[in-house]
Amino acid sequence: AQSVTQPDIHITVSEGASLELRCNYSYGATPYLFWYVQSPGQGLQLLLKYFSGDTLVQGIKGFEAEFKRSQSSFNLRKPSVHWSDAAEYFCAVDLYGGATNKLIFGTGTLLAVQP
Amino acid sequence: DTAVSQTPKYLVTQMGNDKSIKCEQNLGHDTMYWYKQDSKKFLKIMFSYNNKELIINETVPNRFSPKSPDKAHLNLHINSLELGDSAVYFCASRNDRGYNSPLHFGNGTRLTVT
């Protein structure tokens, strides 16, 4: 079955340090991949998405992600983390297409930022 | 200028009651969704409507009944509430005229059943 795995439940980084959040997917076809961020008490906000083309995609807030088909991965990165980046991060894969598609989410990674 | 709005933000009720959560989007999107986020933050799709037509109905108890009076609204009615229904419910929408466009989420409704 199609699935999305985020191996890290909780990550703590120091402010100014680099960040990489891992995401692996299991899907037969070329996936459509997303990263969302959820701040406490808020809904989910789209950070970036990959549909096709350049495998390195840029998002908002200085985030980027790289699609690696050989590793079935779509890891999220940021070169220098800010305290405001502390939140829950969700990787998601879009199944099917058009009106019948549905977004399947990973279990999330909670990012804590130390001063 | 809220894109996807849900009401209420918090809902506390007793077991056995019936309650509704409302959702409206002003983005002109064709498709709307309900997601449930459990205590471990896991997000699971419940329903999807496209132009008022039910498209996706995951394995959800019959006590949950979505209603879409028009394509800008998707309400969720829950009958005979149970303790296990406690969760955060998110409404979302997307524009299917754009190929695989991203979801836009509301801020969630935290439902607590006592």
Side-chain angles (χ1 to χ4, degrees):
Chain A
Q2 298 89 347
S3 67
V4 180
T5 304
Q6 294 179 245
D8 305 306
I9 296 173
H10 186 232
I11 283 184
T12 300
V13 300
S14 298
E15 192 168 14
S18 63
L19 170 71
E20 181 168 33
L21 301 183
R22 295 183 291 165
C23 173
N24 294 95
Y25 65 89
S26 169
Y27 187 52
T30 299
Y32 299 97
L33 296 158
F34 302 80
W35 274 100
Y36 282 84
V37 60
Q38 184 180 23
S39 298
Q42 301 294 315
L44 281 78
Q45 181 184 21
L46 178 71
L47 282 176
L48 46 79
K49 59 185 185 285
Y50 171 77
F51 291 160
S52 65
D54 193 348
T55 56
L56 183 64
V57 293
Q58 302 297 319
I60 62 171
K61 305 185 180 186
F63 285 92
E64 66 177 26
E66 186 171 13
F67 170 63
K68 293 185 177 180
R69 184 188 303 276
S70 61
Q71 299 177 18
S72 297
S73 68
F74 188 57
N75 294 348
L76 182 71
R77 300 196 294 249
K78 186 169 184 177
S80 178
V81 170
H82 187 262
W83 64 266
S84 61
D85 293 325
E88 188 96 29
Y89 290 80
F90 293 93
C91 181
V93 61
D94 202 359
L95 304 185
Y96 315 115
T100 59
N101 54 357
K102 57 183 179 181
L103 215 54
I104 303 299
F105 286 88
T107 49
T109 297
L110 181 62
L111 173 65
V113 180
Q114 287 180 336
Chain B
D1 62 346
T2 304
V4 181
S5 60
Q6 300 178 225
T7 54
K9 187 173 175 64
Y10 299 97
L11 185 53
V12 181
T13 188
Q14 292 183 328
M15 284 174 52
N17 286 346
D18 304 337
K19 290 294 179 185
S20 292
I21 306 172
K22 295 186 176 181
C23 178
E24 175 182 6
Q25 54 94 4
N26 62 4
L27 298 166
H29 288 169
D30 298 314
T31 306
M32 297 184 71
Y33 301 78
W34 278 109
Y35 277 81
K36 178 181 180 181
Q37 186 175 46
D38 63 23
S39 59
K40 295 184 178 179
K41 297 294 184 75
F42 182 61
L43 275 156
K44 185 170 168 51
I45 189 170
M46 300 173 68
F47 301 103
S48 167
Y49 269 73
N50 179 265
N51 281 318
K52 303 192 296 178
E53 178 185 355
L54 180 64
I55 299 297
I56 295 173
N57 185 350
E58 294 292 293
T59 307
V60 177
N62 291 337
R63 299 181 294 102
F64 289 79
S65 54
K67 296 246 182 340
S68 183
D70 55 62
K71 75 172 191 176
H73 295 83
L74 180 61
N75 304 323
L76 184 64
H77 189 75
I78 314 170
N79 289 326
S80 303
L81 278 156
E82 300 178 357
L83 292 176
D85 297 332
S86 296
V88 182
Y89 292 85
F90 285 99
C91 178
S93 70
R94 73 194 298 174
N95 178 11
D96 284 304
R97 285 191 284 271
Y99 192 58
N100 287 306
S101 58
L103 284 175
H104 294 255
F105 283 85
N107 285 335
T109 296
R110 181 175 294 278
L111 171 64
T112 303
V113 182
T114 62

